[in-house]
Amino acid sequence: MAACRRVQLLLLLMSIVVSEVHLNDNDGIPASFKNQGPGQAPNAGNPAAPAAGASQPRRITGWKLAEEEACREDLTRLCPKHTWNNNLAVLECLQDRKEDTEIASDCNHLLWNYKLNLTTDPKFESVAVEVCKSTITEIKECAEEERGKGYLVSCLVDHRANITEYQCHQYITKMTAIIFSDYRLICGFMGKCREDVNALHCGSISTGEKDIHSQGEVISCLERALVLELEQRENRYEIKEECKKAILRVAELSSDDFHLDRYLYFSCREDRERFCENTQAGEGRVYKCLFNHKFEESMSEKCREALTTRQKLIAQDYKVSYSLAKACKVDLRKYRCNVDNLPRAREARLSYLLLCLESAVHRGRVVSGECQGEMLDYRRMLMEDYSLSPEIVLNCRGEIDHHCSGLHRKGRTLHCLMRLGRGEKNSLGATCQQALQTLIQETDPGSDYRIDRALNEACESVMQTACKHIRTGDPMILSCLMEHLYTEKMVEDCEHRLLELQYFISRDWKLDPILYRKCQGDAVRLCHTHGWNETSEVMPPGAVFSCLYRHAYRTEEQGRRLSRDCKAEVQRILHQRALDVKLDPMLQERCMTDLGKWCSEKTESGQELECLQDHLEDLISDCRDVVGNLTELESEDIQIEALLMRACEPVIQAYCHEVADNQIDTGDLMECLIQSKHQKEMNEKCMVGVTHFQLVQMKDFRFSYKFKMACKEDVLKLCPNIKKKVDVVICLSTTVRNDTLQDVKDQRVSVKCRKQLRVEELEMSEDIRLEPELYDSCKQDIGKYCQNVPYGNAQVIECLKESKKQLTQRCHQRVFKLQETEMVDPELDYTLMRVCKQMIKRFCGDADTKNMLQCLKQNKNSELMDPKCKQMITKRQITQNTGDVNTLQ
């Protein structure tokens, strides 16, 4: 009730003052309408006739708009009768009429003069002094304004967000609606922008030539010119700096109530009723509601354009968004995001605000939930509509015109550009690529997938099935989606949108929020990085991850290792990158030529890296180095190979789960998989993947982690300058054999190396392709005699032994040499050891490996001897007794 009484008192006071302002003691005609022509300001000093159609003078105690003949017909037609006794209500009715509803020009003129007098007459200012007494005292700028020129009311309008007095707030709200109905009523605007209005042909500045609707178009025209200025390189008109500030200031002042943006209000009135009927005006709520519906099919094009212009102004000056400026005011001050020594144009940019506050969030600082909610809305807004980022419009215009036209809505244009960026030919120019990378950092979709609407919609079904255990908005959702890439739960659209976004996230380690949170300390300590929104030429964003993973696999002796949490995140990223070479920036950059030359037909997941490994010797040096480093890393932690791990999951669960669960792999898992190659759980995909890795390992002994760590000192000492694994094995084996034959007391090859060397020799005996000299010498014979024989389980080698008499001389010599080695060292006879495995346990458990065949021969005729083993022993006896190797008997 008290509030109602205050409103009634305020309306009464305003009514009295309005009457005072417009009464004349002699005739009751509004004094300010006397001696004023249609194009003049009040009291201009040029007498003229009263406005045409005005009623004859009458003596009344209060002047009413409703009684003026010029507006009577329009009033009767357009305004409810209960408003007629309140001039301000009549004014609001006629001002906010539908755009296609015309009113008489004399009535327009009458309304203009009435509003002008309201905002400039000193007597009206006295109401402000009366109802805003304590507010004026509190607001220093307003207290210092010169009285009698209308500046006080304009100042109070500027600071209306800080007004706490109820009556003052109501009064200034009414005055704001009047002032913003016509750009010429806004204090100082005309003087600052007159030249630009004329130069841009934004409309007439003559009173009365345009009605109240078209006046909003003048400011709208200036706003459009202002945003266009940033989107063009050539033939652009540059608005004067003081007019720019005035335009943005007007946009700021109209940020809380969409009625005050007259052009947008009239453009979106029907859309507001359609989409936001229940949204209460004030505090920017209607703007935000309309923004959320901007890409709805039923949104009118005129409203969509007006909303886009408004959003572009917000991108230039965040204060144009009332809700964002209000919600983040304290946080901006707290984290020095609006420090005085920065240029106003920079610190006002929405992108600067987002980067500054996102940096605080990523550093673990507290940013209010309300502010973070607003940031989320505007980050999503920038990702939805590329045209809100002038750098994208300016630098990607050609790419958009040629490849992405007609995809404007819901972030599709940006994803089209991303697709071009990660495409085979990389159709993006360098400046466009950089603009996209900058936008991804500003919007930070890695921290919340909902920011990327195109991704969100494409992956909704996958998230509901594969990632339903993760809370909405959690950054782990993206990681979950990556884990399900190329699985049956993934859908094609989601796969494309995900890889397009991850391509850009992978190029700046900070854009993966989990990696950044867990590794920022390590990055500062080891890689000399700067803050989240700062860059360094010495350590650019793309190089930081390379630095981190170099330290991830260092031994304790090497020092300067990553923390446990950071290493786990580095491994997670490496697993993801193994799915697609384009997610590894260094690999793609250095191997672009080789990918085109050798691997253009390898389009399925994981095939490109395998192809590069297969052609390692053919690659240019930069590419060979990066592929070699990555392969060396895989040898230590094969779990990086996500696709291989998926294929081998049954085998891992059955035989290797203990080593797979270890925090540190050190090559144990791959060794286990190799030893389990012929178990029943082994499937073809896993077998192919494991064998491929074995073949790659033959190219460089560093690619076998356990072998490298056990024998690196021995290799440096005994086999310098030898790189290929098979040659290193031969070199070390020869050294061991010579030392053994000569009964050397201190063998030159260390014990740990001899032990691992044995493992390598046994693994090589399983597949002829792992012994390149033998394989190359017998390729022709294999094609002729063993064409349909599988390579694994030493079956091709066994086939060649059985076809020995028909072999070419070169192949025959190699097979003979192999058999010679096996007779001396039966443990290297893979087939014998496999077929007779149980019999060896039964009869020869205590026998020396060198005497294994002899032991089996002695037990050959035992009733407990397995028939298959007996048959294999007989074969080896025949071999011993043939002319080729009879010297070994």
Side-chain angles (χ1 to χ4, degrees):
M1 289 299 293
C4 291
R5 283 195 294 272
R6 285 197 298 271
V7 174
Q8 290 168 356
L9 176 62
L10 176 63
L11 292 175
L12 176 61
L13 184 58
M14 291 179 70
S15 177
I16 292 170
V17 175
V18 171
S19 298
E20 285 181 356
V21 171
H22 294 285
L23 280 177
N24 180 276
D25 292 336
N26 297 321
D27 55 15
I29 297 295
S32 49
F33 291 170
K34 280 189 165 189
N35 304 321
Q36 180 186 327
Q40 298 169 350
N43 305 318
N46 295 320
S55 59
Q56 294 300 311
R58 293 181 290 116
R59 290 188 177 276
I60 54 173
T61 57
W63 179 82
K64 292 184 175 61
L65 268 173
E67 294 177 357
E68 287 300 318
E69 189 176 328
C71 290
R72 190 176 298 154
E73 183 183 338
D74 296 309
L75 186 74
T76 304
R77 178 165 51 93
L78 299 170
C79 302
K81 196 168 184 179
H82 70 266
T83 64
W84 293 1
N85 288 326
N86 187 324
N87 286 344
L88 293 178
V90 171
L91 177 63
E92 189 173 10
C93 168
L94 293 176
Q95 235 178 214
D96 293 351
R97 72 184 191 277
K98 290 186 176 180
E99 190 171 3
D100 56 359
T101 307
E102 297 292 338
I103 63 172
S105 60
D106 287 343
C107 184
N108 261 334
H109 188 51
L110 185 68
L111 294 175
W112 157 253
N113 282 285
Y114 172 63
K115 290 187 293 185
L116 190 60
N117 282 320
L118 283 181
T119 56
T120 58
D121 196 293
K123 290 181 181 179
F124 199 86
E125 194 176 83
S126 66
V127 177
V129 175
E130 183 65 31
V131 299
C132 299
K133 190 177 296 180
S134 63
T135 299
I136 294 170
T137 305
E138 291 168 5
I139 302 174
K140 185 180 178 182
E141 295 96 319
C142 298
E144 294 174 352
E145 286 289 3
E146 184 181 352
R147 304 295 167 86
K149 295 187 176 181
Y151 295 161
L152 175 61
V153 175
S154 289
C155 180
L156 289 170
V157 168
D158 280 8
H159 291 86
R160 67 189 186 282
N162 300 322
I163 296 175
T164 55
E165 284 184 278
Y166 184 79
Q167 290 183 1
C168 180
H169 189 272
Q170 293 291 319
Y171 172 75
I172 293 302
T173 299
K174 285 290 183 185
M175 287 304 300
T176 304
I178 294 169
I179 289 173
F180 275 82
S181 67
D182 193 318
Y183 75 95
R184 294 166 300 177
L185 298 175
I186 300 169
C187 182
F189 188 84
M190 270 298 297
K192 294 173 182 174
C193 291
R194 181 189 300 269
E195 185 180 319
D196 296 296
V197 169
N198 287 330
L200 291 162
H201 306 290
C202 283
S204 169
I205 58 170
S206 300
T207 306
E209 291 187 17
K210 284 180 173 276
D211 71 8
I212 53 175
H213 291 77
S214 60
Q215 290 305 322
E217 292 180 1
V218 175
I219 292 181
S220 176
C221 173
L222 289 171
E223 289 174 343
R224 288 194 298 270
L226 179 60
V227 298
L228 194 62
E229 187 179 312
L230 293 174
E231 299 173 359
Q232 292 182 330
R233 281 198 181 93
E234 301 173 355
N235 303 321
R236 65 178 186 176
Y237 175 81
E238 196 162 332
I239 298 172
K240 295 200 310 296
E241 195 60 35
E242 61 175 6
C243 183
K244 284 182 185 177
K245 291 178 181 176
I247 295 167
L248 290 172
R249 186 60 184 147
V250 168
E252 287 177 17
L253 291 171
S254 61
S255 65
D256 63 334
D257 188 349
F258 92 115
H259 291 90
L260 303 182
D261 186 331
R262 303 303 291 173
Y263 181 79
L264 187 144
Y265 169 70
F266 287 115
S267 297
C268 296
R269 185 149 55 175
E270 291 182 1
D271 298 280
R272 188 266 169 99
E273 292 173 2
R274 184 180 302 116
F275 297 113
C276 309
E277 183 180 5
N278 298 320
T279 303
Q280 186 179 354
E283 299 193 348
R285 286 185 288 266
V286 176
Y287 286 126
K288 287 195 71 175
C289 175
L290 289 170
F291 288 161
N292 290 336
H293 293 280
K294 190 175 94 167
F295 288 120
E296 298 284 348
E297 294 295 334
S298 53
M299 171 71 73
S300 68
E301 196 59 40
K302 189 170 184 180
C303 179
R304 186 179 291 122
E305 289 174 1
L307 290 170
T308 299
T309 299
R310 184 92 194 171
Q311 289 175 319
K312 289 181 179 181
L313 291 174
I314 293 172
Q316 287 195 44
D317 181 359
Y318 73 88
K319 292 182 181 177
V320 177
S321 168
Y322 179 90
S323 56
L324 179 64
K326 180 183 177 184
C328 297
K329 184 177 181 180
V330 173
D331 294 296
L332 287 169
R333 191 183 304 116
K334 183 177 179 181
Y335 298 113
R336 296 173 57 82
C337 295
N338 48 5
V339 290
D340 297 333
N341 61 352
L342 279 176
R344 163 107 172 95
R346 178 188 167 189
E347 70 164 47
R349 288 288 299 272
L350 176 63
S351 58
Y352 179 78
L353 173 146
L354 292 175
L355 287 173
C356 183
L357 291 179
E358 284 164 16
S359 177
V361 172
H362 286 296
R363 293 198 312 272
R365 306 294 189 266
V366 177
V367 173
S368 70
E370 188 180 2
C371 179
Q372 289 202 51
E374 288 293 323
M375 290 167 61
L376 182 68
D377 288 341
Y378 283 98
R379 285 151 62 193
R380 185 188 290 125
M381 181 185 85
L382 291 173
M383 278 294 288
E384 271 195 354
D385 189 347
Y386 79 93
S387 71
L388 305 184
S389 302
E391 294 82 7
I392 297 288
V393 176
L394 188 63
N395 296 305
C396 302
R397 183 175 280 116
E399 289 86 348
I400 292 171
D401 290 344
H402 284 96
H403 303 284
C404 307
S405 59
L407 299 172
H408 186 62
R409 299 177 180 181
K410 300 181 181 180
R412 293 172 191 157
T413 303
L414 284 175
H415 268 276
C416 173
L417 292 173
M418 291 180 201
R419 184 168 65 254
L420 293 176
R422 75 177 297 273
E424 300 300 328
K425 298 180 180 178
N426 194 353
S427 307
L428 285 188
T431 54
C432 179
Q433 178 103 8
Q434 185 55 51
L436 260 179
Q437 192 70 50
T438 301
L439 178 63
I440 298 296
Q441 184 178 1
E442 291 168 2
T443 54
D444 196 17
S447 64
D448 191 330
Y449 66 92
R450 294 171 297 178
I451 291 165
D452 189 339
R453 183 170 176 177
L455 174 76
N456 192 11
E457 291 182 356
C459 296
E460 187 176 4
S461 63
V462 185
M463 288 185 282
Q464 288 175 352
T465 54
C467 310
K468 59 183 178 182
H469 59 288
I470 305 174
R471 67 175 177 82
T472 303
D474 193 294
M476 281 304 295
I477 290 280
L478 275 185
S479 190
C480 172
L481 291 174
M482 286 299 295
E483 287 171 13
H484 288 87
L485 202 62
Y486 309 123
T487 68
E488 67 280 356
K489 290 184 178 179
M490 182 56 63
V491 296
E492 187 176 2
D493 266 2
C494 178
E495 177 185 311
H496 293 324
R497 301 298 86 77
L498 181 62
L499 287 173
E500 287 156 11
L501 178 62
Q502 284 292 142
Y503 176 86
F504 285 87
I505 289 178
S506 67
R507 273 144 183 79
D508 187 345
W509 77 290
K510 303 188 301 291
L511 299 183
D512 186 306
I514 306 166
L515 175 69
Y516 183 77
R517 186 170 69 247
K518 296 291 179 68
C519 292
Q520 57 180 316
D522 296 86
V524 171
R525 177 170 57 91
L526 301 171
C527 310
H528 312 293
T529 59
H530 294 72
W532 189 84
N533 59 339
E534 298 174 18
T535 56
S536 165
E537 292 183 4
V538 178
M539 186 62 69
V544 176
F545 185 78
S546 298
C547 169
L548 289 173
Y549 92 63
R550 280 198 302 274
H551 287 87
Y553 293 92
R554 287 194 168 191
T555 62
E556 290 184 15
E557 293 79 17
Q558 291 172 315
R560 297 174 67 80
R561 303 176 75 195
L562 294 187
S563 63
R564 180 181 290 266
D565 284 349
C566 180
K567 181 174 180 179
E569 291 309 311
V570 169
Q571 288 173 321
R572 175 178 64 85
I573 300 300
L574 289 171
H575 295 171
Q576 293 177 4
R577 291 187 172 189
L579 298 171
D580 190 325
V581 294
K582 296 183 183 68
L583 298 182
D584 189 325
M586 189 180 295
L587 182 67
Q588 191 194 24
E589 179 186 345
R590 296 188 181 181
C591 296
M592 191 173 293
T593 302
D594 286 307
L595 282 167
K597 185 175 182 180
W598 307 107
C599 312
S600 57
E601 295 180 2
K602 305 292 184 180
T603 56
E604 292 186 20
S605 58
Q607 284 188 341
E608 288 175 311
L609 179 57
E610 289 182 0
C611 170
L612 291 173
Q613 291 171 329
D614 289 342
H615 290 88
L616 190 67
E617 298 88 347
D618 305 315
L619 305 179
I620 58 177
S621 60
D622 280 354
C623 179
R624 186 165 60 246
D625 288 345
V626 72
V627 173
N629 290 338
L630 185 58
T631 307
E632 191 173 354
L633 200 61
E634 287 180 344
S635 74
E636 179 176 356
D637 182 8
I638 195 60
Q639 294 188 62
I640 291 170
E641 277 284 358
L643 293 173
L644 179 61
M645 290 301 97
R646 286 180 196 167
C648 295
E649 188 174 357
V651 186
I652 293 172
Q653 290 301 319
Y655 301 101
C656 311
H657 60 90
E658 289 184 5
V659 291
D661 293 339
N662 290 343
Q663 178 72 23
I664 302 173
D665 185 348
T666 63
D668 293 327
L669 181 55
M670 177 50 75
E671 186 172 89
C672 177
L673 288 171
I674 290 171
Q675 292 170 358
S676 307
K677 275 175 70 172
H678 302 291
Q679 299 292 351
K680 62 180 180 179
E681 288 83 2
M682 179 63 69
N683 58 67
E684 185 179 358
K685 276 189 177 181
C686 181
M687 171 76 82
V688 169
V690 171
T691 302
H692 176 266
F693 198 76
Q694 286 182 282
L695 293 171
V696 171
Q697 287 180 324
M698 302 310 296
K699 297 174 184 291
D700 192 322
F701 82 96
R702 295 177 302 126
F703 297 166
S704 299
Y705 180 75
K706 293 176 80 69
F707 184 47
K708 176 186 73 174
M709 298 307 292
C711 297
K712 59 183 177 181
E713 293 175 3
D714 301 86
V715 172
L716 286 172
K717 183 173 64 174
L718 303 168
C719 312
N721 305 319
I722 300 179
K723 193 173 183 180
K724 286 187 176 182
K725 179 180 173 182
V726 64
D727 294 335
V728 172
V729 170
I730 292 171
C731 170
L732 293 174
S733 298
T734 303
T735 304
V736 171
R737 186 183 64 185
N738 290 341
D739 286 353
T740 303
L741 291 175
Q742 295 172 20
D743 291 325
V744 175
K745 186 176 181 181
D746 296 321
Q747 290 218 3
R748 287 174 289 174
V749 179
S750 65
V751 174
K752 64 177 181 179
C753 181
R754 290 203 302 271
K755 185 178 178 182
Q756 190 60 38
L757 181 63
R758 194 61 172 170
V759 173
E760 302 299 329
E761 289 174 328
L762 294 174
E763 287 180 0
M764 289 167 62
S765 67
E766 184 266 340
D767 190 325
I768 191 173
R769 291 171 297 179
L770 301 179
E771 298 194 49
E773 288 190 2
L774 174 62
Y775 181 57
D776 290 341
S777 300
C778 295
K779 266 186 181 178
Q780 181 181 340
D781 301 271
I782 293 170
K784 188 172 183 180
Y785 304 112
C786 311
Q787 187 174 6
N788 298 317
V789 178
Y791 281 102
N793 263 336
Q795 293 177 85
V796 170
I797 294 175
E798 199 62 27
C799 170
L800 291 173
K801 289 176 181 177
E802 291 175 357
S803 308
K804 189 165 53 180
K805 291 181 180 178
Q806 288 84 35
L807 300 180
T808 59
Q809 184 178 3
R810 186 181 173 205
C811 179
H812 187 282
Q813 289 174 345
R814 289 289 176 185
V815 172
F816 171 78
K817 189 175 181 180
L818 174 66
Q819 289 179 304
E820 186 179 46
T821 303
E822 291 174 349
M823 290 301 169
V824 174
D825 190 351
E827 194 178 15
L828 296 180
D829 187 340
Y830 185 90
T831 306
L832 175 69
M833 300 303 289
R834 177 177 61 83
V835 173
C836 295
K837 183 177 181 180
Q838 297 303 320
M839 297 302 100
I840 290 171
K841 286 182 180 180
R842 173 171 292 171
F843 297 113
C844 309
D846 297 327
D848 185 273
T849 56
K850 307 292 184 186
N851 300 318
M852 196 67 67
L853 181 58
Q854 189 64 33
C855 172
L856 289 170
K857 283 161 58 177
Q858 290 171 358
N859 293 279
K860 174 182 171 183
N861 296 318
S862 169
E863 294 180 359
L864 298 176
M865 177 60 68
D866 175 73
K868 288 184 178 179
C869 179
K870 184 176 182 179
Q871 185 180 4
M872 184 56 62
I873 296 168
T874 302
K875 279 187 178 182
R876 293 302 179 255
Q877 286 180 300
I878 294 171
T879 300
Q880 278 187 324
N881 293 325
T882 59
D884 283 332
V885 291
N886 53 17
T887 58
L888 296 172
Q889 295 179 30

